[in-house]
mmCIF file of all heavy atoms in Angstrom:
data_model
loop_
_atom_site.group_PDB
_atom_site.id
_atom_site.type_symbol
_atom_site.label_atom_id
_atom_site.label_comp_id
_atom_site.label_asym_id
_atom_site.label_seq_id
_atom_site.Cartn_x
_atom_site.Cartn_y
_atom_site.Cartn_z
ATOM 1 N N ARG A 26 -4.157 -11.843 -19.936
ATOM 2 C CA ARG A 26 -4.751 -10.885 -19.004
ATOM 3 C C ARG A 26 -5.236 -11.552 -17.709
ATOM 4 O O ARG A 26 -4.916 -11.089 -16.615
ATOM 5 C CB ARG A 26 -5.897 -10.136 -19.659
ATOM 6 C CG ARG A 26 -6.419 -9.046 -18.749
ATOM 7 C CD ARG A 26 -7.480 -8.202 -19.408
ATOM 8 N NE ARG A 26 -7.768 -7.032 -18.634
ATOM 9 C CZ ARG A 26 -8.266 -7.041 -17.398
ATOM 10 N NH1 ARG A 26 -8.470 -8.167 -16.782
ATOM 11 N NH2 ARG A 26 -8.520 -5.922 -16.756
ATOM 12 N N HIS A 27 -5.994 -12.612 -17.817
ATOM 13 C CA HIS A 27 -6.532 -13.269 -16.621
ATOM 14 C C HIS A 27 -5.399 -13.759 -15.709
ATOM 15 O O HIS A 27 -5.403 -13.500 -14.496
ATOM 16 C CB HIS A 27 -7.440 -14.437 -17.030
ATOM 17 C CG HIS A 27 -7.967 -15.208 -15.861
ATOM 18 N ND1 HIS A 27 -8.928 -14.701 -15.011
ATOM 19 C CD2 HIS A 27 -7.635 -16.425 -15.383
ATOM 20 C CE1 HIS A 27 -9.166 -15.587 -14.062
ATOM 21 N NE2 HIS A 27 -8.409 -16.645 -14.264
ATOM 22 N N ASP A 28 -4.424 -14.444 -16.292
ATOM 23 C CA ASP A 28 -3.289 -14.941 -15.505
ATOM 24 C C ASP A 28 -2.481 -13.787 -14.927
ATOM 25 O O ASP A 28 -1.976 -13.875 -13.803
ATOM 26 C CB ASP A 28 -2.379 -15.820 -16.370
ATOM 27 C CG ASP A 28 -3.055 -17.114 -16.787
ATOM 28 O OD1 ASP A 28 -3.994 -17.546 -16.094
ATOM 29 O OD2 ASP A 28 -2.636 -17.677 -17.810
ATOM 30 N N LEU A 29 -2.358 -12.716 -15.681
ATOM 31 C CA LEU A 29 -1.596 -11.550 -15.234
ATOM 32 C C LEU A 29 -2.256 -10.908 -14.018
ATOM 33 O O LEU A 29 -1.584 -10.603 -13.024
ATOM 34 C CB LEU A 29 -1.469 -10.539 -16.378
ATOM 35 C CG LEU A 29 -0.659 -9.286 -16.096
ATOM 36 C CD1 LEU A 29 0.782 -9.649 -15.787
ATOM 37 C CD2 LEU A 29 -0.736 -8.345 -17.292
ATOM 38 N N VAL A 30 -3.558 -10.715 -14.067
ATOM 39 C CA VAL A 30 -4.270 -10.114 -12.937
ATOM 40 C C VAL A 30 -4.181 -11.026 -11.714
ATOM 41 O O VAL A 30 -3.967 -10.560 -10.594
ATOM 42 C CB VAL A 30 -5.737 -9.804 -13.312
ATOM 43 C CG1 VAL A 30 -6.542 -9.396 -12.086
ATOM 44 C CG2 VAL A 30 -5.790 -8.713 -14.369
ATOM 45 N N ARG A 31 -4.306 -12.327 -11.908
ATOM 46 C CA ARG A 31 -4.182 -13.273 -10.798
ATOM 47 C C ARG A 31 -2.767 -13.212 -10.192
ATOM 48 O O ARG A 31 -2.597 -13.196 -8.970
ATOM 49 C CB ARG A 31 -4.511 -14.679 -11.286
ATOM 50 C CG ARG A 31 -4.897 -15.589 -10.156
ATOM 51 C CD ARG A 31 -5.479 -16.901 -10.605
ATOM 52 N NE ARG A 31 -4.467 -17.621 -11.366
ATOM 53 C CZ ARG A 31 -4.726 -18.356 -12.442
ATOM 54 N NH1 ARG A 31 -5.933 -18.485 -12.877
ATOM 55 N NH2 ARG A 31 -3.755 -18.986 -13.070
ATOM 56 N N PHE A 32 -1.755 -13.153 -11.057
ATOM 57 C CA PHE A 32 -0.359 -13.044 -10.621
ATOM 58 C C PHE A 32 -0.149 -11.768 -9.793
ATOM 59 O O PHE A 32 0.434 -11.800 -8.709
ATOM 60 C CB PHE A 32 0.545 -13.044 -11.857
ATOM 61 C CG PHE A 32 1.969 -12.640 -11.618
ATOM 62 C CD1 PHE A 32 2.865 -13.496 -11.005
ATOM 63 C CD2 PHE A 32 2.423 -11.393 -12.029
ATOM 64 C CE1 PHE A 32 4.183 -13.121 -10.800
ATOM 65 C CE2 PHE A 32 3.735 -11.013 -11.833
ATOM 66 C CZ PHE A 32 4.615 -11.879 -11.213
ATOM 67 N N LEU A 33 -0.651 -10.641 -10.301
ATOM 68 C CA LEU A 33 -0.478 -9.368 -9.604
ATOM 69 C C LEU A 33 -1.267 -9.333 -8.295
ATOM 70 O O LEU A 33 -0.785 -8.795 -7.296
ATOM 71 C CB LEU A 33 -0.886 -8.208 -10.517
ATOM 72 C CG LEU A 33 0.067 -7.927 -11.669
ATOM 73 C CD1 LEU A 33 -0.565 -6.992 -12.687
ATOM 74 C CD2 LEU A 33 1.384 -7.364 -11.160
ATOM 75 N N THR A 34 -2.461 -9.901 -8.295
ATOM 76 C CA THR A 34 -3.266 -9.934 -7.081
ATOM 77 C C THR A 34 -2.554 -10.732 -5.987
ATOM 78 O O THR A 34 -2.573 -10.358 -4.809
ATOM 79 C CB THR A 34 -4.659 -10.537 -7.358
ATOM 80 O OG1 THR A 34 -5.306 -9.739 -8.358
ATOM 81 C CG2 THR A 34 -5.520 -10.554 -6.107
ATOM 82 N N SER A 35 -1.892 -11.804 -6.370
ATOM 83 C CA SER A 35 -1.167 -12.602 -5.371
ATOM 84 C C SER A 35 0.013 -11.832 -4.777
ATOM 85 O O SER A 35 0.397 -12.075 -3.643
ATOM 86 C CB SER A 35 -0.676 -13.918 -5.987
ATOM 87 O OG SER A 35 0.400 -13.691 -6.872
ATOM 88 N N ARG A 36 0.549 -10.895 -5.524
ATOM 89 C CA ARG A 36 1.670 -10.094 -5.015
ATOM 90 C C ARG A 36 1.206 -8.862 -4.245
ATOM 91 O O ARG A 36 1.878 -8.430 -3.310
ATOM 92 C CB ARG A 36 2.560 -9.628 -6.166
ATOM 93 C CG ARG A 36 3.418 -10.717 -6.713
ATOM 94 C CD ARG A 36 4.307 -10.193 -7.805
ATOM 95 N NE ARG A 36 5.293 -11.220 -8.089
ATOM 96 C CZ ARG A 36 6.569 -10.987 -8.261
ATOM 97 N NH1 ARG A 36 7.036 -9.768 -8.217
ATOM 98 N NH2 ARG A 36 7.394 -11.976 -8.508
ATOM 99 N N LEU A 37 0.093 -8.272 -4.682
ATOM 100 C CA LEU A 37 -0.343 -6.991 -4.129
ATOM 101 C C LEU A 37 -1.492 -7.106 -3.133
ATOM 102 O O LEU A 37 -1.799 -6.135 -2.444
ATOM 103 C CB LEU A 37 -0.757 -6.053 -5.270
ATOM 104 C CG LEU A 37 0.329 -5.763 -6.299
ATOM 105 C CD1 LEU A 37 -0.258 -5.069 -7.511
ATOM 106 C CD2 LEU A 37 1.427 -4.926 -5.677
ATOM 107 N N PHE A 38 -2.170 -8.256 -3.106
ATOM 108 C CA PHE A 38 -3.290 -8.493 -2.208
ATOM 109 C C PHE A 38 -4.442 -7.517 -2.429
ATOM 110 O O PHE A 38 -5.210 -7.244 -1.512
ATOM 111 C CB PHE A 38 -2.843 -8.450 -0.735
ATOM 112 C CG PHE A 38 -1.687 -9.338 -0.447
ATOM 113 C CD1 PHE A 38 -0.428 -8.816 -0.195
ATOM 114 C CD2 PHE A 38 -1.843 -10.713 -0.464
ATOM 115 C CE1 PHE A 38 0.649 -9.645 0.054
ATOM 116 C CE2 PHE A 38 -0.771 -11.550 -0.209
ATOM 117 C CZ PHE A 38 0.472 -11.020 0.040
ATOM 118 N N CYS A 39 -4.547 -6.983 -3.631
ATOM 119 C CA CYS A 39 -5.628 -6.052 -3.950
ATOM 120 C C CYS A 39 -5.957 -6.194 -5.433
ATOM 121 O O CYS A 39 -5.131 -5.849 -6.285
ATOM 122 C CB CYS A 39 -5.213 -4.617 -3.626
ATOM 123 S SG CYS A 39 -6.457 -3.402 -4.080
ATOM 124 N N ARG A 40 -7.157 -6.691 -5.725
ATOM 125 C CA ARG A 40 -7.527 -6.927 -7.119
ATOM 126 C C ARG A 40 -7.599 -5.612 -7.898
ATOM 127 O O ARG A 40 -7.194 -5.568 -9.055
ATOM 128 C CB ARG A 40 -8.844 -7.672 -7.199
ATOM 129 C CG ARG A 40 -9.243 -7.920 -8.644
ATOM 130 C CD ARG A 40 -10.105 -9.138 -8.787
ATOM 131 N NE ARG A 40 -10.513 -9.285 -10.158
ATOM 132 C CZ ARG A 40 -9.981 -10.137 -11.015
ATOM 133 N NH1 ARG A 40 -9.009 -10.929 -10.611
ATOM 134 N NH2 ARG A 40 -10.405 -10.219 -12.239
ATOM 135 N N ALA A 41 -8.115 -4.552 -7.303
ATOM 136 C CA ALA A 41 -8.237 -3.279 -8.013
ATOM 137 C C ALA A 41 -6.864 -2.741 -8.421
ATOM 138 O O ALA A 41 -6.677 -2.282 -9.552
ATOM 139 C CB ALA A 41 -8.977 -2.258 -7.145
ATOM 140 N N THR A 42 -5.907 -2.816 -7.523
ATOM 141 C CA THR A 42 -4.546 -2.373 -7.840
ATOM 142 C C THR A 42 -3.936 -3.274 -8.902
ATOM 143 O O THR A 42 -3.253 -2.802 -9.816
ATOM 144 C CB THR A 42 -3.677 -2.363 -6.572
ATOM 145 O OG1 THR A 42 -4.299 -1.525 -5.599
ATOM 146 C CG2 THR A 42 -2.278 -1.852 -6.862
ATOM 147 N N ALA A 43 -4.202 -4.578 -8.801
ATOM 148 C CA ALA A 43 -3.701 -5.521 -9.807
ATOM 149 C C ALA A 43 -4.269 -5.177 -11.187
ATOM 150 O O ALA A 43 -3.544 -5.207 -12.186
ATOM 151 C CB ALA A 43 -4.068 -6.947 -9.417
ATOM 152 N N GLU A 44 -5.551 -4.843 -11.244
ATOM 153 C CA GLU A 44 -6.173 -4.451 -12.519
ATOM 154 C C GLU A 44 -5.511 -3.192 -13.075
ATOM 155 O O GLU A 44 -5.244 -3.100 -14.273
ATOM 156 C CB GLU A 44 -7.675 -4.204 -12.326
ATOM 157 C CG GLU A 44 -8.477 -5.426 -11.971
ATOM 158 C CD GLU A 44 -8.917 -6.237 -13.177
ATOM 159 O OE1 GLU A 44 -8.688 -5.800 -14.317
ATOM 160 O OE2 GLU A 44 -9.484 -7.313 -12.965
ATOM 161 N N ASP A 45 -5.243 -2.228 -12.204
ATOM 162 C CA ASP A 45 -4.594 -0.982 -12.642
ATOM 163 C C ASP A 45 -3.201 -1.256 -13.205
ATOM 164 O O ASP A 45 -2.826 -0.713 -14.252
ATOM 165 C CB ASP A 45 -4.489 0.016 -11.487
ATOM 166 C CG ASP A 45 -5.827 0.594 -11.080
ATOM 167 O OD1 ASP A 45 -6.797 0.472 -11.859
ATOM 168 O OD2 ASP A 45 -5.913 1.170 -9.977
ATOM 169 N N ILE A 46 -2.443 -2.069 -12.527
ATOM 170 C CA ILE A 46 -1.085 -2.354 -12.987
ATOM 171 C C ILE A 46 -1.118 -3.186 -14.264
ATOM 172 O O ILE A 46 -0.298 -2.977 -15.159
ATOM 173 C CB ILE A 46 -0.257 -3.004 -11.862
ATOM 174 C CG1 ILE A 46 -0.016 -1.946 -10.773
ATOM 175 C CG2 ILE A 46 1.071 -3.547 -12.394
ATOM 176 C CD1 ILE A 46 0.750 -2.419 -9.584
ATOM 177 N N ALA A 47 -2.081 -4.103 -14.375
ATOM 178 C CA ALA A 47 -2.221 -4.867 -15.624
ATOM 179 C C ALA A 47 -2.506 -3.918 -16.785
ATOM 180 O O ALA A 47 -1.966 -4.084 -17.888
ATOM 181 C CB ALA A 47 -3.333 -5.908 -15.487
ATOM 182 N N ALA A 76 4.800 -3.841 -10.244
ATOM 183 C CA ALA A 76 4.279 -4.154 -8.910
ATOM 184 C C ALA A 76 5.302 -3.775 -7.836
ATOM 185 O O ALA A 76 4.944 -3.204 -6.798
ATOM 186 C CB ALA A 76 3.917 -5.633 -8.812
ATOM 187 N N ARG A 145 -4.640 -6.449 6.996
ATOM 188 C CA ARG A 145 -4.157 -7.813 6.725
ATOM 189 C C ARG A 145 -2.949 -8.140 7.614
ATOM 190 O O ARG A 145 -2.855 -9.219 8.191
ATOM 191 C CB ARG A 145 -3.781 -7.921 5.250
ATOM 192 C CG ARG A 145 -3.386 -9.303 4.807
ATOM 193 C CD ARG A 145 -3.062 -9.264 3.317
ATOM 194 N NE ARG A 145 -3.332 -10.438 2.574
ATOM 195 C CZ ARG A 145 -2.744 -11.613 2.718
ATOM 196 N NH1 ARG A 145 -1.842 -11.766 3.644
ATOM 197 N NH2 ARG A 145 -3.058 -12.638 1.966
#
Side-chain angles (χ1 to χ4, degrees):
R26 186 175 191 297
H27 177 72
D28 293 337
L29 182 62
V30 171
R31 201 169 63 218
F32 167 75
L33 289 167
T34 301
S35 73
R36 285 182 168 224
L37 301 169
F38 308 108
C39 177
R40 180 153 177 102
T42 303
E44 294 275 355
D45 289 344
I46 291 179
R145 185 179 211 295

